[in-house]
Amino acid sequence: MDLIVTLLITLILPLATGILFIYSDRRKQEPARNEELTSSINGLLPQTQCGACGYPDCHSYAEAIVAGASDIHQCPPGGTDTVSRLAELLEGTALFQHYDTSIDQPPLVAAIDEQLCIGCVKCIIACPVDAIIGAAKQMHSVLPKICTGCGLCIAPCPVECITLALAETRIKRFVWSKPGSTTAGVHA
Ligand code: SF4
Ligand code: SF4
């Protein structure tokens, strides 16, 4: 009996204390680790703050991914570039998710009906990436190469002359589609 008590005191107790210490230390570091991961994820997001992901801004979406409340496929402006970089970043972490091209949202781009545009510049003010050119009382146009398809310019337009359409396929964005899928090679 004494031997067991001695063993308990000399071996198991320090071991248990050590494990407890490591565990509590890890728990203490968790918020800092999560903040660091949130900031890395946020750094990969397009910073359009457009809310297309369902969160008020890019940082909130990054927090949701770290909290496990959202997957990495929710950012339309970021497109496949952002999803594949997020999958790469999260590889090896508990948050890792496969990059699933089948749920990609096809890239969208805004277009202005220049016949209807009254040149009120409200869309220019709304666009987070300066993808619209024009001057007061002059026709406005969207620069498709810059537009992320976030849709933020649509609501402020008083004559509703802005629409979103599928973006033109560019070599940089071409992805072979899965055999049998209906959308042949259009994803961004
Ligand atoms: S033009 Fe419109 S849809 Fe395109 S990035 Fe600007 S606000 Fe978004
Ligand atoms: S908000 Fe609409 S009407 Fe105003 S400048 Fe832009 S496209 Fe033209």
Side-chain angles (χ1 to χ4, degrees), residues 42-133:
N42 192 37
L44 294 179
L45 298 174
Q47 300 310 312
T48 54
Q49 320 303 343
C50 64
C53 56
Y55 294 90
D57 52 43
C58 299
H59 192 270
S60 308
Y61 175 43
E63 282 175 337
I65 293 175
V66 171
S70 181
D71 70 37
I72 57 175
H73 299 85
Q74 307 297 327
C75 176
T80 49
D81 289 356
T82 297
V83 177
S84 46
R85 271 186 258 139
L86 288 175
E88 216 176 293
L89 174 75
L90 296 177
E91 200 150 357
T93 75
L95 294 165
F96 177 61
Q97 300 161 30
H98 284 291
Y99 166 24
D100 183 351
T101 55
S102 68
I103 53 174
D104 263 354
Q105 297 181 17
L108 300 174
V109 70
I112 294 176
D113 183 337
E114 290 153 5
Q115 305 304 320
L116 296 177
C117 172
I118 56 171
C120 70
V121 298
K122 286 188 177 155
C123 53
I124 290 185
I125 299 164
C127 179
V129 290
D130 300 329
I132 301 175
I133 49 173

